[in-house]
């Protein structure tokens, strides 16, 4: 049985240390969340899995980690200063503010003000002088500094199209209406790939990336039946997009965007370039007199060519929510409820719990620590030495946080060099030789 509603997931996240309200001791801040001991592991595992599939398992993508604070010019020429706005209305009756398309039913139309545009970017001062001029933005997407670093990456790696630059990191949006726990927040993380291709091959690459990304989501345990594709209609496209396909997921609150895959054309590289007239640009870019670089390549005819960009852009927080929702399950065992997170092992925050059966037997405890250290050294993720509570409670707790296996150390381990390995999903226990343990453990991943 899956989660009945989002509240069950929120309760688990708090109870087991996945996600907390930010600044909770001061009453919390809306739209901000902190990831706890297990949340940070889950998030890192999702990002690592993405990085592995997008960078390491391909030979045509490089990585980047650019600054979050972004010079005003970058977001001027990206078009964000002008267009990254939402229509905002006030309700004169309840005194609240809403995005014009998200006004709740309890507000009457006649109580609403005319919509006005509200820019979603956060500004902050850079340096000691607050003169209103020396400010930077907190980036609203990780993409822009990939574009501004295009020439740096090309020059330092000798890459040619088709190739991509990947980046994961925080993005910030001063959202007017927040939604469903970590679904729409003001500080979140993105996993973005800007894949540069020869103009004319862009539509084919767009399709290819939609398929590759769907495949990845399924490998993270998100079932196909809960995913659907949405072709964003022309009148809803972002200012840079020629076409966008959203991967939609059936979240507990409804079907909504999990990832967007956009064909950004040559808009961004073109808009951040100097000498735009020489570049054979296909899209209508923003005229730029401040850039000192041509973000372009020379083609075989020695003419300037600005690559088109296919951009798969996924939210880490939405990934956490979808993956937790998929994994959450409640079963009846001996007339009692068992909550189990059936996470794919590569995503589990704890890969194995090593449990000494007698907490105060020095030899058993020492052996459990030795085994924990051995498994930890394999580098597959966090292995926990678990020395609290009774064995039954330990099993239940590790079921609830998705630990794929529990390994119990007892007197037989000392005498016969065997351990008990318990599977999270089947709850079956097997006794295996200690010498086979590493091999068995590695097989999980
Ligand atoms: N660079 C393209 C871009 O940023 P987007 O559709 O605005 O496109 C991409 O964002 C992804 O980032 C979304 O599919 C979503 O997963 C995530 N995202 C966007 N806004 C978010 C928010 N306020 N809270 C959480 N995740 C968000």
């Amino acid at each position: 049985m899956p989660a009945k509603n989002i509240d069950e997931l929120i309760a688990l996240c708090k109870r087991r240390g996945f996600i907390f309200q930010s600044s909770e001791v001061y009453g919390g801040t809306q739209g901000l969340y902190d990831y706890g001991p297990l949340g940070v592991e889950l998030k890192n595992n999702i990002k690592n899995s993405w990085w592995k599939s997008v960078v390491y398992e391909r030979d045509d993508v490089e990585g980047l980690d650019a600054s979050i604070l972004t010079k005003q010019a970058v977001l001027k020429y990206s078009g964000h200063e002008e267009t990254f706005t939402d229509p905002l209305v006030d309700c004169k009756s309840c005194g609240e503010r809403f995005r014009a398309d998200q006004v709740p039913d309890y507000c009457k139309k006649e109580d609403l003000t005319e919509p006005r545009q509200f820019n979603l970017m956060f500004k902050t001062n850079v340096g000691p002088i607050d003169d209103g001029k020396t400010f930077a933005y907190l980036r609203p997407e990780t993409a822009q500094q990939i574009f501004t670093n295009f020439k740096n990456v090309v020059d330092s790696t000798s890459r040619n199209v088709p190739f991509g630059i990947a980046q994961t990191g925080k993005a910030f949006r001063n959202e007017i209406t927040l939604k469903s726990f970590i679904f729409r927040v003001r500080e979140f993380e993105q996993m973005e790939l800007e894949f540069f291709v020869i103009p004319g091959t862009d539509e084919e690459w767009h399709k290819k990336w939609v398929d590759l990304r769907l495949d990845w989501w399924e490998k993270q345990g998100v079932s196909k039946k809960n995913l659907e594709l949405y072709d964003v209609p022309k009148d809803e496209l972002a200012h840079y997009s020629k076409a966008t396909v959203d991967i939609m997921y059936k979240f507990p609150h409804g079907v909504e965007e999990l990832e967007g895959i956009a064909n950004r054309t040559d808009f961004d590289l073109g808009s951040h370039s100097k000498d735009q007239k020489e570049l054979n640009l296909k899209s209508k870019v923003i005229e730029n007199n401040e850039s000192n670089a041509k973000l372009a390549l020379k083609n075989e005819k020695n003419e300037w060519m600005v690559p088109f960009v296919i951009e798969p852009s996924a939210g880490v927080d939405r990934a956490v929510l979808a993956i937790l929702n998929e994994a959450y399950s409640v079963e009846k065992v001996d007339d009692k409820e068992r909550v189990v997170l059936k996470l794919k092992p590569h995503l589990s925050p704890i890969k194995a719990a090593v449990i000494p059966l007698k907490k105060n037997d020095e030899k058993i405890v020492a052996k459990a620590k030795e085994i924990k250290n051995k498994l930890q050294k394999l580098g597959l993720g966090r292995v926990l030495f678990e020395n609290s509570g009774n064995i039954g409670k330990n099993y239940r707790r590790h079921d609830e946080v998705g630990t794929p296996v529990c390994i119990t150390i007892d007197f037989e381990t000392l005498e016969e060099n065997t351990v008990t390995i318990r599977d999270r999903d089947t709850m079956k226990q097997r006794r295996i030789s200690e010498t086979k343990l590493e091999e068995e453990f590695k097989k999980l991943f």
Side-chain angles (χ1 to χ4, degrees):
M1 196 169 62
K4 280 191 220 89
N5 50 47
I6 187 103
D7 294 334
E8 271 190 34
L9 282 182
I10 297 174
L12 173 81
C13 284
K14 166 100 197 209
R15 185 166 73 244
R16 293 302 184 198
F18 281 92
I19 301 168
F20 310 122
Q21 176 81 54
S22 188
S23 311
E24 197 177 327
V25 298
Y26 292 108
T29 312
Q30 269 205 317
L32 299 180
Y33 289 91
D34 297 338
Y35 284 77
L38 298 187
V40 65
E41 297 289 342
L42 174 60
K43 229 175 157 194
N44 285 341
N45 293 340
I46 293 171
K47 287 185 281 180
N48 288 339
S49 171
W50 182 85
W51 195 265
K52 199 168 128 235
S53 101
V54 164
V55 183
Y56 295 165
E57 289 173 0
R58 302 182 60 89
D59 287 316
D60 54 5
V61 176
E62 302 288 345
L64 185 77
D65 181 17
S67 67
I68 287 173
L69 291 179
T70 306
K71 200 176 166 86
Q72 183 196 2
V74 174
L75 292 151
K76 173 177 167 189
Y77 292 104
S78 70
H80 283 79
E81 274 199 333
E82 183 72 27
T83 57
F84 200 60
T85 55
D86 273 345
L88 174 79
V89 292
D90 293 274
C91 173
K92 288 178 236 160
S93 169
C94 69
E96 285 186 61
R97 283 184 169 167
F98 305 100
R99 223 169 87 170
D101 57 343
Q102 290 167 357
V103 179
D105 293 340
Y106 57 78
C107 297
K108 289 194 206 125
K109 230 178 170 181
E110 55 270 28
D111 291 334
L112 301 176
T113 58
E114 279 300 305
R116 60 191 185 282
Q117 291 305 317
F118 172 76
N119 196 297
L120 300 183
M121 290 194 293
F122 285 99
K123 267 184 191 173
T124 190
N125 202 49
V126 175
I129 301 161
D130 185 2
D131 58 3
K133 290 182 203 147
T134 47
F135 70 87
Y137 289 111
L138 272 67
R139 64 183 177 200
E141 59 172 8
T142 64
Q144 287 308 318
Q145 300 282 46
I146 295 183
F147 300 128
T148 58
N149 275 294
F150 175 79
K151 197 170 170 334
N152 287 334
V153 175
V154 167
D155 290 351
S156 57
T157 62
S158 311
R159 285 284 180 191
N160 205 341
V161 279
F163 87 100
I165 305 177
Q167 176 166 223
T168 66
K170 293 261 182 171
F172 303 83
R173 296 181 190 179
N174 200 1
E175 299 282 0
I176 302 167
T177 320
L178 303 157
K179 197 169 188 179
S180 293
F181 191 35
I182 51 172
F183 177 81
R184 186 181 297 122
V185 284
R186 293 190 167 120
E187 175 176 337
F188 55 99
E189 265 190 277
Q190 290 185 316
M191 305 181 281
E192 295 201 300
L193 169 68
E194 308 304 320
F195 197 79
F196 304 98
V197 302
I198 299 172
T201 65
D202 49 304
E203 291 182 6
E204 196 186 318
W205 274 107
H206 195 194
K207 283 199 196 92
K208 220 181 262 187
W209 274 108
V210 172
D211 290 344
L212 286 168
R213 297 301 305 142
L214 270 176
D215 206 43
W216 183 83
W217 283 109
E218 279 186 62
K219 287 190 181 133
Q220 312 317 305
V222 181
S223 60
K224 218 177 188 167
K225 71 173 179 12
N226 290 333
L227 291 171
E228 56 188 75
L229 295 179
Y230 175 67
D231 262 306
V232 178
K234 287 265 176 283
D235 59 339
E236 284 176 27
L237 289 174
H239 62 279
Y240 50 73
S241 174
K242 166 178 161 183
T244 297
V245 176
D246 285 343
I247 298 181
M248 311 289 279
Y249 173 70
K250 202 168 159 202
F251 285 99
H253 64 273
V255 177
E256 295 230 38
E257 179 185 336
L258 179 60
E259 167 163 4
I261 301 149
N263 181 343
R264 293 184 78 130
T265 68
D266 55 2
F267 174 83
D268 299 273
L269 292 179
S271 293
H272 287 304
S273 286
K274 67 171 185 180
D275 302 335
Q276 292 165 322
K277 289 207 171 73
E278 295 171 19
L279 298 182
N280 304 307
L281 290 161
K282 309 276 184 296
S283 62
K284 195 172 172 303
V285 297
I286 300 172
E287 204 180 305
N288 193 326
N289 300 313
E290 291 183 70
S291 169
N292 57 26
K294 283 178 184 154
L295 303 181
L297 301 168
K298 283 274 174 87
N299 66 14
E300 63 283 1
K301 292 186 206 148
N302 207 30
E303 294 161 344
W304 285 112
M305 181 265 291
V306 178
F308 268 38
V309 176
I310 305 302
E311 178 199 61
S313 170
V316 181
D317 309 76
R318 289 189 192 175
V320 169
L321 190 56
I323 285 166
L324 283 177
N325 188 49
E326 288 284 313
Y328 187 93
S329 129
V330 184
E331 298 173 354
K332 269 258 150 62
V333 179
D334 300 332
D335 272 350
K336 279 194 190 137
E337 277 195 347
R338 172 176 99 114
V339 175
V340 51
L341 270 190
K342 294 188 171 173
L343 291 169
K344 294 277 180 194
H346 71 280
L347 297 180
S348 292
I350 299 168
K351 306 300 180 197
V354 183
I355 310 171
L357 198 61
K358 285 255 179 250
K359 315 286 172 215
N360 37 27
D361 184 293
E362 270 179 37
K363 283 190 181 150
I364 290 181
V365 168
K367 188 72 187 168
K369 284 188 179 166
E370 180 195 316
I371 288 176
K372 178 242 138 99
N373 290 337
K374 246 193 224 164
L375 296 181
Q376 191 61 69
K377 281 202 182 113
L378 295 175
L380 295 165
R382 187 173 185 197
V383 177
L384 193 75
F385 167 71
E386 180 67 82
N387 202 16
S388 60
N390 71 34
I391 191 83
K393 279 194 179 150
N394 280 329
Y395 285 162
R396 285 291 182 270
R397 188 153 39 130
H398 281 285
D399 288 345
E400 245 192 19
V401 302
T403 308
V405 287
C406 288
I407 297 155
T408 309
I409 312 304
D410 56 16
F411 287 113
E412 263 182 81
T413 313
L414 302 181
E415 285 158 15
E416 293 172 19
N417 294 324
T418 56
V419 298
T420 302
I421 180 161
R422 176 193 179 268
D423 182 90
R424 173 194 70 197
D425 298 345
T426 62
M427 293 185 287
K428 287 211 172 103
Q429 299 185 27
R430 286 180 298 138
R431 237 188 142 91
I432 62 164
S433 153
E434 196 193 324
T435 53
K436 292 234 168 88
L437 182 60
E438 285 188 24
E439 199 184 306
E440 288 276 324
F441 182 57
K442 281 198 242 168
K443 269 196 224 156
L444 287 170
F445 303 97

